[in-house]
Amino acid sequence: MLVTLDPRDERPLYLQIVDQVRRALLDGTLRAEDPLPSVRELAGELVVNPRTVSQAYRELEGEGVIYVRRGQGTFVAPTIHPDRRERRALVRGVAERALVEARRNGLEVEELITMIREVAVEEEGEESLTTPALRTAATAATAAKGGAA
């Protein structure tokens, strides 16, 4: 499925759809000229009102991300090439949602950052952390847990 909605996310559903389409462009799931599901098809998959999907598609079309071919459907614009600015916006959105969730649960920012680093070390292993900053963070997180650095 191209889009998944998070009922815990406070953002309107149409914005979640917009963000999911943008994310699919960034990660390569969607490419220029790829077709998108019809409004009714996506609304049915997501179990939302078709107006919600239509609103998301209108916003994406207004931004030049998608276009409609009358009688053929909706497609990713041919000139779409994700850039650093879009990636930074995506990362910022993820960080903001993580911070909101952490605060909602009474966690401090430093606790969240430390846990993200620890989870990264556990899931990816220190060998797959390729940037010096992540290696340093991973070493610090491991040392904080009482392990060897």
Side-chain angles (χ1 to χ4, degrees), residues 57-87:
Y57 278 14
R58 273 194 311 274
E59 180 150 327
L60 289 164
E61 188 175 16
E63 294 173 3
V65 174
I66 64 173
Y67 70 98
V68 177
R69 277 191 214 146
R70 228 170 166 58
Q72 294 182 351
T74 305
F75 299 85
V76 175
T79 57
I80 287 299
H81 301 287
D83 61 14
R84 282 189 181 146
R85 191 175 66 247
E86 290 171 342
R87 183 158 185 86

PDB file of all heavy atoms in Angstrom, residues 57-87:
ATOM      1  N   TYR A  57      -4.791  15.213  -3.014  1.00  0.00           N
ATOM      2  CA  TYR A  57      -4.366  15.255  -4.410  1.00  0.00           C
ATOM      3  C   TYR A  57      -4.363  16.692  -4.932  1.00  0.00           C
ATOM      4  O   TYR A  57      -3.470  17.070  -5.679  1.00  0.00           O
ATOM      5  CB  TYR A  57      -5.259  14.362  -5.274  1.00  0.00           C
ATOM      6  CG  TYR A  57      -4.895  12.889  -5.259  1.00  0.00           C
ATOM      7  CD1 TYR A  57      -4.026  12.346  -4.310  1.00  0.00           C
ATOM      8  CD2 TYR A  57      -5.429  12.016  -6.183  1.00  0.00           C
ATOM      9  CE1 TYR A  57      -3.707  10.997  -4.307  1.00  0.00           C
ATOM     10  CE2 TYR A  57      -5.114  10.669  -6.197  1.00  0.00           C
ATOM     11  CZ  TYR A  57      -4.255  10.166  -5.260  1.00  0.00           C
ATOM     12  OH  TYR A  57      -3.932   8.829  -5.263  1.00  0.00           O
ATOM     13  N   ARG A  58      -5.358  17.489  -4.543  1.00  0.00           N
ATOM     14  CA  ARG A  58      -5.390  18.896  -4.975  1.00  0.00           C
ATOM     15  C   ARG A  58      -4.171  19.646  -4.464  1.00  0.00           C
ATOM     16  O   ARG A  58      -3.560  20.433  -5.186  1.00  0.00           O
ATOM     17  CB  ARG A  58      -6.659  19.585  -4.482  1.00  0.00           C
ATOM     18  CG  ARG A  58      -7.848  19.429  -5.396  1.00  0.00           C
ATOM     19  CD  ARG A  58      -8.973  20.389  -5.059  1.00  0.00           C
ATOM     20  NE  ARG A  58      -9.338  20.411  -3.649  1.00  0.00           N
ATOM     21  CZ  ARG A  58     -10.198  19.579  -3.060  1.00  0.00           C
ATOM     22  NH1 ARG A  58     -10.788  18.636  -3.784  1.00  0.00           N
ATOM     23  NH2 ARG A  58     -10.473  19.668  -1.784  1.00  0.00           N
ATOM     24  N   GLU A  59      -3.813  19.391  -3.204  1.00  0.00           N
ATOM     25  CA  GLU A  59      -2.637  20.055  -2.636  1.00  0.00           C
ATOM     26  C   GLU A  59      -1.366  19.642  -3.378  1.00  0.00           C
ATOM     27  O   GLU A  59      -0.536  20.482  -3.722  1.00  0.00           O
ATOM     28  CB  GLU A  59      -2.506  19.746  -1.145  1.00  0.00           C
ATOM     29  CG  GLU A  59      -1.308  20.430  -0.543  1.00  0.00           C
ATOM     30  CD  GLU A  59      -1.480  20.770   0.911  1.00  0.00           C
ATOM     31  OE1 GLU A  59      -2.613  21.072   1.337  1.00  0.00           O
ATOM     32  OE2 GLU A  59      -0.467  20.744   1.619  1.00  0.00           O
ATOM     33  N   LEU A  60      -1.221  18.358  -3.624  1.00  0.00           N
ATOM     34  CA  LEU A  60      -0.044  17.866  -4.345  1.00  0.00           C
ATOM     35  C   LEU A  60      -0.003  18.402  -5.773  1.00  0.00           C
ATOM     36  O   LEU A  60       1.061  18.740  -6.287  1.00  0.00           O
ATOM     37  CB  LEU A  60      -0.025  16.338  -4.351  1.00  0.00           C
ATOM     38  CG  LEU A  60       0.284  15.679  -3.007  1.00  0.00           C
ATOM     39  CD1 LEU A  60      -0.107  14.203  -3.023  1.00  0.00           C
ATOM     40  CD2 LEU A  60       1.754  15.842  -2.656  1.00  0.00           C
ATOM     41  N   GLU A  61      -1.165  18.506  -6.394  1.00  0.00           N
ATOM     42  CA  GLU A  61      -1.226  19.046  -7.751  1.00  0.00           C
ATOM     43  C   GLU A  61      -0.856  20.533  -7.748  1.00  0.00           C
ATOM     44  O   GLU A  61      -0.115  20.996  -8.618  1.00  0.00           O
ATOM     45  CB  GLU A  61      -2.622  18.846  -8.343  1.00  0.00           C
ATOM     46  CG  GLU A  61      -2.717  19.208  -9.802  1.00  0.00           C
ATOM     47  CD  GLU A  61      -4.075  18.880 -10.407  1.00  0.00           C
ATOM     48  OE1 GLU A  61      -5.047  18.649  -9.655  1.00  0.00           O
ATOM     49  OE2 GLU A  61      -4.160  18.857 -11.637  1.00  0.00           O
ATOM     50  N   GLY A  62      -1.333  21.248  -6.731  1.00  0.00           N
ATOM     51  CA  GLY A  62      -1.000  22.664  -6.613  1.00  0.00           C
ATOM     52  C   GLY A  62       0.487  22.900  -6.426  1.00  0.00           C
ATOM     53  O   GLY A  62       1.028  23.920  -6.852  1.00  0.00           O
ATOM     54  N   GLU A  63       1.163  21.952  -5.807  1.00  0.00           N
ATOM     55  CA  GLU A  63       2.614  22.043  -5.589  1.00  0.00           C
ATOM     56  C   GLU A  63       3.400  21.551  -6.806  1.00  0.00           C
ATOM     57  O   GLU A  63       4.627  21.626  -6.816  1.00  0.00           O
ATOM     58  CB  GLU A  63       3.018  21.194  -4.379  1.00  0.00           C
ATOM     59  CG  GLU A  63       2.476  21.695  -3.073  1.00  0.00           C
ATOM     60  CD  GLU A  63       2.758  20.747  -1.921  1.00  0.00           C
ATOM     61  OE1 GLU A  63       3.445  19.713  -2.130  1.00  0.00           O
ATOM     62  OE2 GLU A  63       2.288  21.026  -0.808  1.00  0.00           O
ATOM     63  N   GLY A  64       2.695  21.013  -7.789  1.00  0.00           N
ATOM     64  CA  GLY A  64       3.375  20.513  -8.978  1.00  0.00           C
ATOM     65  C   GLY A  64       3.970  19.127  -8.805  1.00  0.00           C
ATOM     66  O   GLY A  64       4.787  18.690  -9.609  1.00  0.00           O
ATOM     67  N   VAL A  65       3.551  18.425  -7.767  1.00  0.00           N
ATOM     68  CA  VAL A  65       4.081  17.085  -7.498  1.00  0.00           C
ATOM     69  C   VAL A  65       3.378  16.035  -8.356  1.00  0.00           C
ATOM     70  O   VAL A  65       4.006  15.078  -8.802  1.00  0.00           O
ATOM     71  CB  VAL A  65       3.933  16.740  -5.994  1.00  0.00           C
ATOM     72  CG1 VAL A  65       4.339  15.306  -5.711  1.00  0.00           C
ATOM     73  CG2 VAL A  65       4.740  17.710  -5.151  1.00  0.00           C
ATOM     74  N   ILE A  66       2.088  16.240  -8.596  1.00  0.00           N
ATOM     75  CA  ILE A  66       1.312  15.304  -9.410  1.00  0.00           C
ATOM     76  C   ILE A  66       0.512  16.087 -10.443  1.00  0.00           C
ATOM     77  O   ILE A  66       0.374  17.305 -10.349  1.00  0.00           O
ATOM     78  CB  ILE A  66       0.371  14.428  -8.553  1.00  0.00           C
ATOM     79  CG1 ILE A  66      -0.682  15.286  -7.848  1.00  0.00           C
ATOM     80  CG2 ILE A  66       1.153  13.585  -7.562  1.00  0.00           C
ATOM     81  CD1 ILE A  66      -1.754  14.491  -7.115  1.00  0.00           C
ATOM     82  N   TYR A  67      -0.023  15.368 -11.423  1.00  0.00           N
ATOM     83  CA  TYR A  67      -0.912  15.989 -12.399  1.00  0.00           C
ATOM     84  C   TYR A  67      -1.958  14.969 -12.823  1.00  0.00           C
ATOM     85  O   TYR A  67      -1.793  13.763 -12.619  1.00  0.00           O
ATOM     86  CB  TYR A  67      -0.123  16.510 -13.619  1.00  0.00           C
ATOM     87  CG  TYR A  67       0.436  15.433 -14.495  1.00  0.00           C
ATOM     88  CD1 TYR A  67      -0.223  15.031 -15.655  1.00  0.00           C
ATOM     89  CD2 TYR A  67       1.639  14.796 -14.174  1.00  0.00           C
ATOM     90  CE1 TYR A  67       0.300  14.034 -16.462  1.00  0.00           C
ATOM     91  CE2 TYR A  67       2.168  13.803 -14.980  1.00  0.00           C
ATOM     92  CZ  TYR A  67       1.490  13.426 -16.120  1.00  0.00           C
ATOM     93  OH  TYR A  67       2.004  12.435 -16.919  1.00  0.00           O
ATOM     94  N   VAL A  68      -3.049  15.482 -13.394  1.00  0.00           N
ATOM     95  CA  VAL A  68      -4.149  14.628 -13.822  1.00  0.00           C
ATOM     96  C   VAL A  68      -4.214  14.614 -15.339  1.00  0.00           C
ATOM     97  O   VAL A  68      -4.151  15.665 -15.977  1.00  0.00           O
ATOM     98  CB  VAL A  68      -5.494  15.151 -13.244  1.00  0.00           C
ATOM     99  CG1 VAL A  68      -6.660  14.307 -13.756  1.00  0.00           C
ATOM    100  CG2 VAL A  68      -5.459  15.153 -11.722  1.00  0.00           C
ATOM    101  N   ARG A  69      -4.296  13.415 -15.895  1.00  0.00           N
ATOM    102  CA  ARG A  69      -4.569  13.239 -17.327  1.00  0.00           C
ATOM    103  C   ARG A  69      -6.030  12.854 -17.433  1.00  0.00           C
ATOM    104  O   ARG A  69      -6.412  11.763 -16.987  1.00  0.00           O
ATOM    105  CB  ARG A  69      -3.719  12.107 -17.914  1.00  0.00           C
ATOM    106  CG  ARG A  69      -2.351  12.485 -18.284  1.00  0.00           C
ATOM    107  CD  ARG A  69      -1.715  11.337 -19.097  1.00  0.00           C
ATOM    108  NE  ARG A  69      -0.298  11.287 -18.797  1.00  0.00           N
ATOM    109  CZ  ARG A  69       0.425  10.189 -18.741  1.00  0.00           C
ATOM    110  NH1 ARG A  69      -0.124   9.014 -18.936  1.00  0.00           N
ATOM    111  NH2 ARG A  69       1.714  10.251 -18.472  1.00  0.00           N
ATOM    112  N   ARG A  70      -6.802  13.727 -17.999  1.00  0.00           N
ATOM    113  CA  ARG A  70      -8.240  13.490 -18.095  1.00  0.00           C
ATOM    114  C   ARG A  70      -8.523  12.120 -18.719  1.00  0.00           C
ATOM    115  O   ARG A  70      -7.986  11.780 -19.769  1.00  0.00           O
ATOM    116  CB  ARG A  70      -8.870  14.573 -18.950  1.00  0.00           C
ATOM    117  CG  ARG A  70     -10.082  15.173 -18.336  1.00  0.00           C
ATOM    118  CD  ARG A  70     -10.478  16.396 -19.127  1.00  0.00           C
ATOM    119  NE  ARG A  70     -11.769  16.914 -18.869  1.00  0.00           N
ATOM    120  CZ  ARG A  70     -12.242  17.323 -17.709  1.00  0.00           C
ATOM    121  NH1 ARG A  70     -11.522  17.197 -16.646  1.00  0.00           N
ATOM    122  NH2 ARG A  70     -13.436  17.833 -17.595  1.00  0.00           N
ATOM    123  N   GLY A  71      -9.325  11.340 -18.019  1.00  0.00           N
ATOM    124  CA  GLY A  71      -9.715  10.032 -18.522  1.00  0.00           C
ATOM    125  C   GLY A  71      -8.671   8.940 -18.318  1.00  0.00           C
ATOM    126  O   GLY A  71      -8.937   7.780 -18.591  1.00  0.00           O
ATOM    127  N   GLN A  72      -7.471   9.304 -17.833  1.00  0.00           N
ATOM    128  CA  GLN A  72      -6.419   8.302 -17.658  1.00  0.00           C
ATOM    129  C   GLN A  72      -5.985   8.144 -16.209  1.00  0.00           C
ATOM    130  O   GLN A  72      -5.479   7.104 -15.827  1.00  0.00           O
ATOM    131  CB  GLN A  72      -5.209   8.653 -18.513  1.00  0.00           C
ATOM    132  CG  GLN A  72      -5.499   8.569 -19.988  1.00  0.00           C
ATOM    133  CD  GLN A  72      -4.268   8.886 -20.809  1.00  0.00           C
ATOM    134  OE1 GLN A  72      -3.243   9.326 -20.289  1.00  0.00           O
ATOM    135  NE2 GLN A  72      -4.359   8.658 -22.100  1.00  0.00           N
ATOM    136  N   GLY A  73      -6.114   9.194 -15.413  1.00  0.00           N
ATOM    137  CA  GLY A  73      -5.757   9.083 -14.007  1.00  0.00           C
ATOM    138  C   GLY A  73      -4.809  10.164 -13.541  1.00  0.00           C
ATOM    139  O   GLY A  73      -4.578  11.171 -14.216  1.00  0.00           O
ATOM    140  N   THR A  74      -4.242   9.919 -12.372  1.00  0.00           N
ATOM    141  CA  THR A  74      -3.338  10.861 -11.719  1.00  0.00           C
ATOM    142  C   THR A  74      -1.934  10.273 -11.724  1.00  0.00           C
ATOM    143  O   THR A  74      -1.747   9.091 -11.441  1.00  0.00           O
ATOM    144  CB  THR A  74      -3.798  11.111 -10.262  1.00  0.00           C
ATOM    145  OG1 THR A  74      -5.157  11.553 -10.295  1.00  0.00           O
ATOM    146  CG2 THR A  74      -2.957  12.157  -9.582  1.00  0.00           C
ATOM    147  N   PHE A  75      -0.953  11.129 -12.035  1.00  0.00           N
ATOM    148  CA  PHE A  75       0.424  10.670 -12.200  1.00  0.00           C
ATOM    149  C   PHE A  75       1.404  11.589 -11.482  1.00  0.00           C
ATOM    150  O   PHE A  75       1.116  12.770 -11.280  1.00  0.00           O
ATOM    151  CB  PHE A  75       0.792  10.628 -13.693  1.00  0.00           C
ATOM    152  CG  PHE A  75      -0.061   9.688 -14.488  1.00  0.00           C
ATOM    153  CD1 PHE A  75      -1.290  10.093 -14.986  1.00  0.00           C
ATOM    154  CD2 PHE A  75       0.353   8.389 -14.721  1.00  0.00           C
ATOM    155  CE1 PHE A  75      -2.087   9.226 -15.704  1.00  0.00           C
ATOM    156  CE2 PHE A  75      -0.438   7.505 -15.446  1.00  0.00           C
ATOM    157  CZ  PHE A  75      -1.665   7.924 -15.938  1.00  0.00           C
ATOM    158  N   VAL A  76       2.552  11.040 -11.146  1.00  0.00           N
ATOM    159  CA  VAL A  76       3.631  11.851 -10.580  1.00  0.00           C
ATOM    160  C   VAL A  76       4.158  12.736 -11.699  1.00  0.00           C
ATOM    161  O   VAL A  76       4.339  12.280 -12.834  1.00  0.00           O
ATOM    162  CB  VAL A  76       4.760  10.953 -10.018  1.00  0.00           C
ATOM    163  CG1 VAL A  76       5.929  11.797  -9.539  1.00  0.00           C
ATOM    164  CG2 VAL A  76       4.224  10.068  -8.895  1.00  0.00           C
ATOM    165  N   ALA A  77       4.397  13.994 -11.375  1.00  0.00           N
ATOM    166  CA  ALA A  77       4.883  14.947 -12.372  1.00  0.00           C
ATOM    167  C   ALA A  77       6.210  14.477 -12.962  1.00  0.00           C
ATOM    168  O   ALA A  77       7.033  13.896 -12.255  1.00  0.00           O
ATOM    169  CB  ALA A  77       5.045  16.329 -11.739  1.00  0.00           C
ATOM    170  N   PRO A  78       6.432  14.735 -14.239  1.00  0.00           N
ATOM    171  CA  PRO A  78       7.660  14.270 -14.890  1.00  0.00           C
ATOM    172  C   PRO A  78       8.918  14.987 -14.410  1.00  0.00           C
ATOM    173  O   PRO A  78      10.017  14.483 -14.587  1.00  0.00           O
ATOM    174  CB  PRO A  78       7.408  14.552 -16.377  1.00  0.00           C
ATOM    175  CG  PRO A  78       6.368  15.605 -16.394  1.00  0.00           C
ATOM    176  CD  PRO A  78       5.539  15.411 -15.162  1.00  0.00           C
ATOM    177  N   THR A  79       8.751  16.139 -13.802  1.00  0.00           N
ATOM    178  CA  THR A  79       9.922  16.930 -13.385  1.00  0.00           C
ATOM    179  C   THR A  79      10.281  16.746 -11.924  1.00  0.00           C
ATOM    180  O   THR A  79      11.115  17.465 -11.398  1.00  0.00           O
ATOM    181  CB  THR A  79       9.668  18.425 -13.647  1.00  0.00           C
ATOM    182  OG1 THR A  79       8.478  18.801 -12.935  1.00  0.00           O
ATOM    183  CG2 THR A  79       9.504  18.704 -15.119  1.00  0.00           C
ATOM    184  N   ILE A  80       9.650  15.796 -11.260  1.00  0.00           N
ATOM    185  CA  ILE A  80       9.901  15.609  -9.830  1.00  0.00           C
ATOM    186  C   ILE A  80      11.233  14.908  -9.617  1.00  0.00           C
ATOM    187  O   ILE A  80      11.466  13.811 -10.100  1.00  0.00           O
ATOM    188  CB  ILE A  80       8.768  14.792  -9.167  1.00  0.00           C
ATOM    189  CG1 ILE A  80       7.526  15.641  -9.044  1.00  0.00           C
ATOM    190  CG2 ILE A  80       9.168  14.265  -7.809  1.00  0.00           C
ATOM    191  CD1 ILE A  80       7.692  16.887  -8.188  1.00  0.00           C
ATOM    192  N   HIS A  81      12.109  15.582  -8.909  1.00  0.00           N
ATOM    193  CA  HIS A  81      13.394  15.027  -8.494  1.00  0.00           C
ATOM    194  C   HIS A  81      13.620  15.484  -7.064  1.00  0.00           C
ATOM    195  O   HIS A  81      13.947  16.646  -6.838  1.00  0.00           O
ATOM    196  CB  HIS A  81      14.537  15.519  -9.394  1.00  0.00           C
ATOM    197  CG  HIS A  81      14.329  15.157 -10.823  1.00  0.00           C
ATOM    198  ND1 HIS A  81      14.483  13.867 -11.288  1.00  0.00           N
ATOM    199  CD2 HIS A  81      13.962  15.895 -11.885  1.00  0.00           C
ATOM    200  CE1 HIS A  81      14.222  13.842 -12.587  1.00  0.00           C
ATOM    201  NE2 HIS A  81      13.900  15.055 -12.966  1.00  0.00           N
ATOM    202  N   PRO A  82      13.428  14.600  -6.086  1.00  0.00           N
ATOM    203  CA  PRO A  82      13.578  14.999  -4.689  1.00  0.00           C
ATOM    204  C   PRO A  82      14.958  15.601  -4.431  1.00  0.00           C
ATOM    205  O   PRO A  82      15.961  15.133  -4.955  1.00  0.00           O
ATOM    206  CB  PRO A  82      13.406  13.692  -3.914  1.00  0.00           C
ATOM    207  CG  PRO A  82      12.712  12.774  -4.853  1.00  0.00           C
ATOM    208  CD  PRO A  82      13.107  13.197  -6.232  1.00  0.00           C
ATOM    209  N   ASP A  83      14.981  16.667  -3.628  1.00  0.00           N
ATOM    210  CA  ASP A  83      16.252  17.313  -3.320  1.00  0.00           C
ATOM    211  C   ASP A  83      16.506  17.314  -1.813  1.00  0.00           C
ATOM    212  O   ASP A  83      15.706  16.815  -1.041  1.00  0.00           O
ATOM    213  CB  ASP A  83      16.297  18.731  -3.896  1.00  0.00           C
ATOM    214  CG  ASP A  83      15.213  19.645  -3.319  1.00  0.00           C
ATOM    215  OD1 ASP A  83      14.590  19.295  -2.297  1.00  0.00           O
ATOM    216  OD2 ASP A  83      15.005  20.724  -3.882  1.00  0.00           O
ATOM    217  N   ARG A  84      17.637  17.885  -1.434  1.00  0.00           N
ATOM    218  CA  ARG A  84      18.015  17.906  -0.012  1.00  0.00           C
ATOM    219  C   ARG A  84      17.004  18.640   0.843  1.00  0.00           C
ATOM    220  O   ARG A  84      16.754  18.279   1.983  1.00  0.00           O
ATOM    221  CB  ARG A  84      19.383  18.574   0.138  1.00  0.00           C
ATOM    222  CG  ARG A  84      20.510  17.680  -0.230  1.00  0.00           C
ATOM    223  CD  ARG A  84      21.817  18.336   0.163  1.00  0.00           C
ATOM    224  NE  ARG A  84      22.904  17.481  -0.217  1.00  0.00           N
ATOM    225  CZ  ARG A  84      24.065  17.913  -0.615  1.00  0.00           C
ATOM    226  NH1 ARG A  84      24.310  19.198  -0.684  1.00  0.00           N
ATOM    227  NH2 ARG A  84      25.014  17.067  -0.937  1.00  0.00           N
ATOM    228  N   ARG A  85      16.435  19.713   0.296  1.00  0.00           N
ATOM    229  CA  ARG A  85      15.475  20.509   1.057  1.00  0.00           C
ATOM    230  C   ARG A  85      14.265  19.656   1.426  1.00  0.00           C
ATOM    231  O   ARG A  85      13.782  19.703   2.546  1.00  0.00           O
ATOM    232  CB  ARG A  85      15.076  21.732   0.236  1.00  0.00           C
ATOM    233  CG  ARG A  85      14.302  22.760   1.002  1.00  0.00           C
ATOM    234  CD  ARG A  85      14.027  24.009   0.175  1.00  0.00           C
ATOM    235  NE  ARG A  85      13.145  23.714  -0.939  1.00  0.00           N
ATOM    236  CZ  ARG A  85      13.492  23.768  -2.223  1.00  0.00           C
ATOM    237  NH1 ARG A  85      14.709  24.097  -2.568  1.00  0.00           N
ATOM    238  NH2 ARG A  85      12.628  23.493  -3.169  1.00  0.00           N
ATOM    239  N   GLU A  86      13.781  18.856   0.471  1.00  0.00           N
ATOM    240  CA  GLU A  86      12.644  17.984   0.738  1.00  0.00           C
ATOM    241  C   GLU A  86      13.007  16.911   1.755  1.00  0.00           C
ATOM    242  O   GLU A  86      12.220  16.574   2.628  1.00  0.00           O
ATOM    243  CB  GLU A  86      12.156  17.344  -0.560  1.00  0.00           C
ATOM    244  CG  GLU A  86      11.488  18.333  -1.486  1.00  0.00           C
ATOM    245  CD  GLU A  86      11.213  17.749  -2.853  1.00  0.00           C
ATOM    246  OE1 GLU A  86      11.823  16.718  -3.205  1.00  0.00           O
ATOM    247  OE2 GLU A  86      10.401  18.334  -3.574  1.00  0.00           O
ATOM    248  N   ARG A  87      14.206  16.372   1.632  1.00  0.00           N
ATOM    249  CA  ARG A  87      14.648  15.347   2.582  1.00  0.00           C
ATOM    250  C   ARG A  87      14.745  15.939   3.989  1.00  0.00           C
ATOM    251  O   ARG A  87      14.333  15.330   4.959  1.00  0.00           O
ATOM    252  CB  ARG A  87      15.989  14.757   2.152  1.00  0.00           C
ATOM    253  CG  ARG A  87      16.428  13.643   3.088  1.00  0.00           C
ATOM    254  CD  ARG A  87      17.413  12.720   2.406  1.00  0.00           C
ATOM    255  NE  ARG A  87      17.719  11.610   3.257  1.00  0.00           N
ATOM    256  CZ  ARG A  87      17.010  10.492   3.332  1.00  0.00           C
ATOM    257  NH1 ARG A  87      15.946  10.343   2.581  1.00  0.00           N
ATOM    258  NH2 ARG A  87      17.354   9.524   4.147  1.00  0.00           N
TER     259      ARG A  87
END
